[in-house]
Amino acid sequence: MLIIGIDGCRPDALLKANTKILDSLWENGAYSFKAKTDEISSSGICWTGMLTGVWHEKHNVLSNEYKNPNIKEYPHFFRRVKHSRPELKTYSLVHWAPLHKILQSGDADVAKTFDSDEAVTIEATTTLVNKDVDVMFLHLDDVDHAGHSYGYHPSNDDYLSAIEVIDQQVSRIIHSLYQRSNYKNENWLILISTDHGGSDTSHGKNTNEHTTIFYIAAGNAVKKGEIEEQVNVIDVAVAAMTHLGIPILDEWNLDGRPAGLK
Ligand SMILES: [Zn+2]
């Protein structure tokens, strides 16, 4: 299970940018470019939704300060993975450190923060080729930096360039998967999404430009083509656990669904 989170990437800009690997993943996978993130479209709220499978009313992360997250009731999905299948190795490699504030002891075998997307990419590729890894979450931040600096918009070349750089990094990450010695016998699901869009040089509001996101699922487990139902950021954790064979219990009270899977 590989999840790649591209911070602050508008779907219309992704479609406009020259992105070879991302295009091949959605064209051969399941996808939505009309998916929705949390109505409070700030990073902490949305990443927490993606990784817990519930909206902010339940996970209670209401700003990037992460005051009082309700991780006892709605933990990071790594915790549910470890509870059901403790043998699985979980990795979280991120550029934006606060993402890890919802991790509890034992959730991640490896949780590391890096000061650049390039450093995340190098660690991810080395790990995927060589290590016993079952679940990996990666966070790349530079598209969001470009949005804050130059503007979140498909007509903005600086913003598109940042997406194209990420596409190269995603390409290296995906190709490192293929180099795994046992790749042919493994059944990787790749989910790629973002936490929010933006307009001008900000985000955080409940507007279409801020809350519309993309969702791409690739691998043998997906039902190819555009996903007809409404897809939401909270579907990522649920799709990931479903792929890992973890039964989604009613008592967990999750909001997401396993979007794009057969
Ligand atoms: Zn963000």
Side-chain angles (χ1 to χ4, degrees):
M1 182 68 242
L2 172 64
I3 302 170
I4 304 176
I6 303 173
D7 207 301
C9 184
R10 277 176 59 148
D12 51 1
L14 174 62
L15 287 168
K16 179 106 186 289
N18 183 9
T19 50
K20 241 185 187 171
I21 186 82
L22 289 165
D23 288 352
S24 83
L25 289 168
W26 71 258
E27 284 166 3
N28 296 294
Y31 62 91
S32 173
F33 295 104
K34 294 180 267 187
K36 283 289 175 184
T37 194
D38 202 287
E39 64 186 18
I40 311 172
S41 58
S42 292
S43 299
I45 293 113
C46 302
W47 288 122
T48 303
M50 183 185 291
L51 295 167
T52 60
V54 296
W55 296 115
H56 73 261
E57 289 86 351
K58 291 179 185 171
H59 65 60
N60 203 43
V61 172
L62 305 175
S63 77
N64 287 347
E65 290 169 37
Y66 285 78
K67 283 179 196 158
N68 305 314
N70 188 7
I71 49 180
K72 287 281 167 274
E73 271 182 279
Y74 300 104
H76 191 297
F77 84 95
F78 280 11
R79 192 164 196 83
R80 303 196 191 279
V81 169
K82 283 290 188 184
H83 185 78
S84 296
R85 297 189 61 192
E87 77 281 10
L88 297 186
K89 294 279 182 288
T90 55
Y91 282 69
S92 182
L93 311 177
V94 304
H95 187 171
W96 191 59
L99 263 166
H100 282 163
K101 288 189 178 178
I102 60 165
L103 283 175
Q104 301 176 75
S105 171
D107 292 1
D109 289 289
V110 175
K112 288 190 194 170
T113 303
F114 300 86
D115 59 10
S116 68
D117 286 356
E118 183 57 23
V120 171
T121 302
I122 290 169
E123 181 80 4
T125 52
T126 311
T127 303
L128 286 170
V129 173
N130 300 309
K131 294 270 172 65
D132 177 17
V133 48
D134 301 285
V135 189
M136 179 180 272
F137 171 76
L138 302 175
H139 167 261
L140 303 171
D141 213 6
D142 287 347
V143 172
D144 191 56
H145 295 164
H148 282 298
S149 299
Y150 311 116
Y152 298 80
H153 202 273
S155 68
N156 184 323
D157 286 342
D158 291 313
Y159 186 57
L160 298 187
S161 294
I163 296 171
E164 289 164 4
V165 170
I166 294 261
D167 188 64
Q168 298 285 325
Q169 288 164 334
V170 170
S171 176
R172 286 155 58 201
I173 293 162
I174 301 298
H175 283 91
S176 69
L177 263 186
Y178 303 154
Q179 290 173 46
R180 292 174 61 77
S181 57
N182 201 29
Y183 179 75
K184 284 197 172 65
N185 301 313
E186 296 176 334
N187 180 23
W188 285 85
L189 173 65
I190 301 160
L191 295 178
I192 307 184
S193 189
T194 182
D195 55 338
H196 53 75
S199 62
D200 299 322
T201 54
S202 72
H203 58 85
K205 293 182 187 159
N206 186 12
T207 62
N208 278 333
E209 287 176 316
H210 292 203
T211 61
T212 306
I213 60 169
F214 66 89
Y215 177 96
I216 299 169
N220 291 328
V222 309
K223 186 170 171 245
K224 286 187 183 185
E226 184 171 14
I227 303 165
E228 285 169 18
E229 314 85 72
Q230 179 61 50
V231 178
N232 297 297
V233 72
I234 51 170
D235 295 342
V236 172
V238 177
M241 289 191 283
T242 301
H243 183 66
L244 292 165
I246 292 163
I248 308 296
L249 304 183
D250 287 343
E251 67 201 49
W252 294 349
N253 201 15
L254 300 187
D255 295 323
R257 291 167 308 197
L261 301 192
K262 278 175 188 163

